[in-house]
Amino acid sequence: MVRNFRMIFAAVLAAAGGAALASPQPCADVLTSYASCSGTTCAEIVSQHAECFAGGSATSNTQINATVFNQASAISRAIASRSGQAGPGPVASAESGSGLAAGGSQAWNLWASHGRNVSRISYTNTAGTNTRTDNNIDNTVLGGDYALSPKMALGLSLAIDRSNGAGSLAGGPPNITGTSGYTLAPYLGYQIDKVWALDASAGWGKGRYTAGAVKAEANRWFATGNLSYNRWVGNWQYTGKFGYLHGNESYGDTRNNGAVVARTATRNSVDQARVGVQASYWMNGFMPYAGMGYALDFNRSTNNGAGVDPIGRRAWVYSLGVNFFSLSSKITGGIAYEQEGGRTSSRSETLTANLNFRF
């Protein structure tokens, strides 16, 4: 609502000063112009109206981070939550057994996670004017796993995502966009010893992009692996994690009012390395924590040569949250806030809640 008032106020000021506020150009008209363009004109259209092209390099990288990479993080948290050593140290020591199976009486682990990511990309396009894209992405992940042994668990997860976005040129009225999709991912967790653990996952799914009469379909897949360290010192828990993530999103040619627009198929992939540390404190069933991490997109590829890459490849990631443990009912959960900063022209923040039930 506040954003709408700001846009109305800006339009009134422009009219009062005799200035002409740019009229919004619907994505359907943008794609019509693109269908008949050539050379550098095509590059300018893509750069100035990135929100109208499914799988644009900047927005696609943001989408990959907020969907399949978010799912991979949810899986890793679920694996950590079922480990006896991931629970409160003094209490876990008193429980029968340790490791993934926690004594064999908790072989099954069912869990759910929901996260909302809010991102903003603002950069100068090839024509020298400012382009801005905002996205709100909701991602719900459901999963379950079974302990094959006290050290190993095998599971399956399903993520369903939906987003709404808005893109504008030089502060003009925005084009409204939306995406939706799903990803199915099996995963594996392995407890090496009391302090070291591994988890890995891979997933495949579909995505859909809409902007009025403009529509496109995508295939997606990802693969990740994490090495985690976990140590208790009294009531303090210290953890560290190093991870590798690969995400791929491939859109077919866009359809504009049902007609295929040639040269709009896109393929984007990201290889990312993450390292992070976290400190938690056990408080009679609750564990508040703070963490800091570093993410590096060390490799990106795209066939969208007309696009730009304004979001930057490096980011610091800060997190605050609290986990809770109910050992009698075998339920754990938590809520966390995460903010990503340091990229060239983008900001991203995520609020996540999760719940685990072991039996």
Side-chain angles (χ1 to χ4, degrees):
M1 182 177 291
V2 173
R3 179 181 174 186
N4 291 336
F5 278 128
R6 285 204 304 261
M7 291 172 57
I8 294 171
F9 183 62
V12 171
L13 286 180
L21 183 66
S23 299
Q25 185 175 7
C27 286
D29 293 346
V30 172
L31 268 294
T32 298
S33 299
Y34 183 82
S36 58
C37 71
S38 62
T40 57
T41 302
C42 296
E44 291 176 358
I45 293 174
V46 173
S47 180
Q48 294 178 31
H49 300 281
E51 75 278 6
C52 294
F53 292 85
S57 57
T59 52
S60 181
N61 289 330
T62 302
Q63 186 86 1
I64 289 172
N65 271 284
T67 55
V68 294
F69 285 180
N70 179 276
Q71 181 178 5
S73 296
I75 290 171
S76 189
R77 285 194 302 269
I79 285 291
S81 75
R82 74 169 298 156
S83 169
Q85 292 299 314
V91 180
S93 298
E95 291 285 294
S96 60
S98 62
L100 288 166
S105 62
Q106 302 170 28
W108 287 99
N109 178 41
L110 301 180
W111 56 273
S113 173
H114 179 80
R116 162 158 277 212
N117 174 269
V118 178
S119 64
R120 174 186 297 177
I121 304 171
S122 180
Y123 63 96
T124 301
N125 59 42
T126 57
T129 54
N130 185 261
T131 295
R132 173 173 163 175
T133 303
D134 297 322
N135 276 296
N136 300 317
I137 302 175
D138 287 292
N139 193 37
T140 300
V141 190
L142 304 174
D145 48 73
Y146 180 79
L148 301 175
S149 74
K151 289 183 175 290
M152 183 180 294
L154 185 65
L156 184 67
S157 70
L158 171 67
I160 301 171
D161 58 89
R162 182 176 296 273
S163 80
N164 59 80
S168 61
L169 175 66
N175 279 306
I176 305 302
T177 64
T179 64
S180 60
Y182 70 89
T183 311
L184 190 66
Y187 61 90
L188 174 73
Y190 183 76
Q191 192 79 34
I192 300 172
D193 55 29
K194 290 184 177 181
V195 296
W196 292 99
L198 289 169
D199 66 82
S201 59
W204 300 263
K206 297 281 188 179
R208 180 180 176 87
Y209 163 89
T210 59
V214 176
K215 295 177 174 59
E217 307 283 344
N219 294 315
R220 58 168 70 153
W221 71 275
F222 77 93
T224 69
N226 295 287
L227 175 65
S228 303
Y229 175 83
N230 168 58
R231 184 176 181 85
W232 283 90
V233 180
N235 283 349
W236 285 95
Q237 183 196 43
Y238 301 99
T239 60
K241 181 178 290 187
F242 174 78
Y244 163 77
L245 306 95
H246 174 85
N248 185 285
E249 191 176 62
S250 299
Y251 274 95
D253 279 329
T254 299
R255 291 183 176 272
N256 185 11
N257 282 303
V260 173
V261 182
R263 303 170 297 158
T264 52
T266 58
R267 296 185 306 276
N268 294 281
S269 65
V270 181
D271 290 282
Q272 185 180 99
R274 292 185 184 179
V275 60
V277 293
Q278 181 177 294
S280 312
Y281 188 76
W282 170 248
M283 298 175 61
N284 194 29
F286 292 89
M287 285 184 65
Y289 66 85
M292 182 176 69
Y294 183 73
L296 171 64
D297 298 347
F298 62 88
N299 182 56
R300 290 182 187 159
S301 64
T302 180
N303 71 325
N304 187 359
V308 295
D309 181 21
I311 70 172
R313 293 178 178 267
R314 298 170 177 84
W316 291 99
V317 183
Y318 308 96
S319 60
L320 289 172
V322 59
N323 292 322
F324 71 86
F325 299 82
S326 176
L327 297 177
S328 59
S329 60
K330 308 304 181 184
I331 293 176
T332 64
I335 185 168
Y337 171 78
E338 184 176 278
Q339 184 178 84
E340 184 184 87
R343 293 192 187 269
T344 307
S345 302
S346 71
R347 289 191 60 186
S348 175
E349 51 190 359
T350 305
L351 185 64
T352 305
N354 65 86
L355 190 68
N356 298 67
F357 174 64
R358 292 182 290 175
F359 61 97

